[in-house]
Amino acid sequence: KNEVEQSPQNLTAQEGEFITINCSYSVGISALHWLQQHPGGGIVSLFMLSSGKKKHGRLIATINIQEKHSSLHITASHPRDSAVYICAALTGNTPLVFGKGTRLSVIA
Amino acid sequence: DTEVTQTPKHLVMGMTNKKSLKCEQHMGHRAMYWYKQKAKKPPELMFVYSYEKLSINESVPSRFSPECPNSSLLNLHLHALQPEDSALYLCASSQDGGFTDTQYFGPGTRLTVL
């Protein structure tokens, strides 16, 4: 059974700080989703990656398949980045396995 | 258009009511999903439709009844719910149901059962 662990569970940062959220998983995967959920519900898919690194604006996601580890970085953080960030593993033949999420608060 | 829409946004219902949640996407995706999410927990998969056929039912009680009338629409019919069914219900879609593609999520319907 694939376990997906995220750290930290909660994170408070000052505006402008560089933020890192980590995700590790226990078995082989085909890809990893990073998702963002703002208070009030909707989930936005930020990245899906199976190797290397992806960048979109101030967000960067990396994955190391051998080490079974992925990180989400936010540069120059802003209060509007406050949300829950969830990683989810795709194994290719089973439903997404979600981490428990990292609750990020960015204070002005 | 990478949008999944859900209606209604909020729903309050009694335990004897019958109501339906609706989800729609126009991305040509052939897989659609219902998830249930309780506060401060990750989403839990309920159902998957692939090419308009139910492919996964994660042992969901029969008081939840999904329906996929066509490839763009997904409904969740609710009947005789319990207060513990109160949650955020999320719909998602992906290119196909092989769990290899990005899933696009809707904004959710927040359901309260009295």
Side-chain angles (χ1 to χ4, degrees), chain A residues 4 8 21 24 40 42 44 73 84 90 108:
Chain A
V4 176
I21 298 170
S24 60
V44 174
H73 306 285
V84 177
L90 287 85

Side-chain angles (χ1 to χ4, degrees), chain B residues 2-107:
Chain B
T2 57
E3 193 178 23
V4 176
T5 59
Q6 288 186 244
T7 54
K9 286 195 171 127
H10 300 274
L11 178 62
V12 179
M13 60 187 288
M15 288 191 283
T16 57
N17 292 155
K18 283 186 184 181
K19 296 284 184 186
S20 296
L21 310 185
K22 181 178 167 184
C23 173
E24 197 164 0
Q25 56 87 16
H26 295 287
M27 295 179 276
H29 288 173
R30 302 312 299 268
M32 295 184 78
Y33 310 76
W34 279 116
Y35 289 90
K36 173 182 176 181
Q37 187 180 25
K38 301 285 271 186
K40 299 191 178 181
K41 300 283 188 186
E44 296 170 27
L45 183 66
M46 299 174 74
F47 302 104
V48 181
Y49 272 83
S50 181
Y51 293 84
E52 296 152 58
K53 288 188 171 25
L54 183 65
S55 61
I56 292 182
N57 174 343
E58 293 282 357
S59 303
V60 179
S62 59
R63 57 186 185 269
F64 295 92
S65 173
E67 180 199 16
C68 190
N70 61 57
S71 59
S72 301
L73 272 177
L74 184 66
N75 298 319
L76 186 63
H77 302 297
L78 314 171
H79 174 53
L81 295 193
Q82 304 295 311
E84 60 264 28
D85 296 321
S86 299
L88 181 70
Y89 288 83
L90 291 158
C91 174
S93 71
S94 67
Q95 192 67 41
D96 66 33
F99 303 111
T100 56
D101 297 315
T102 301
Q103 288 188 26
Y104 294 85
F105 287 82

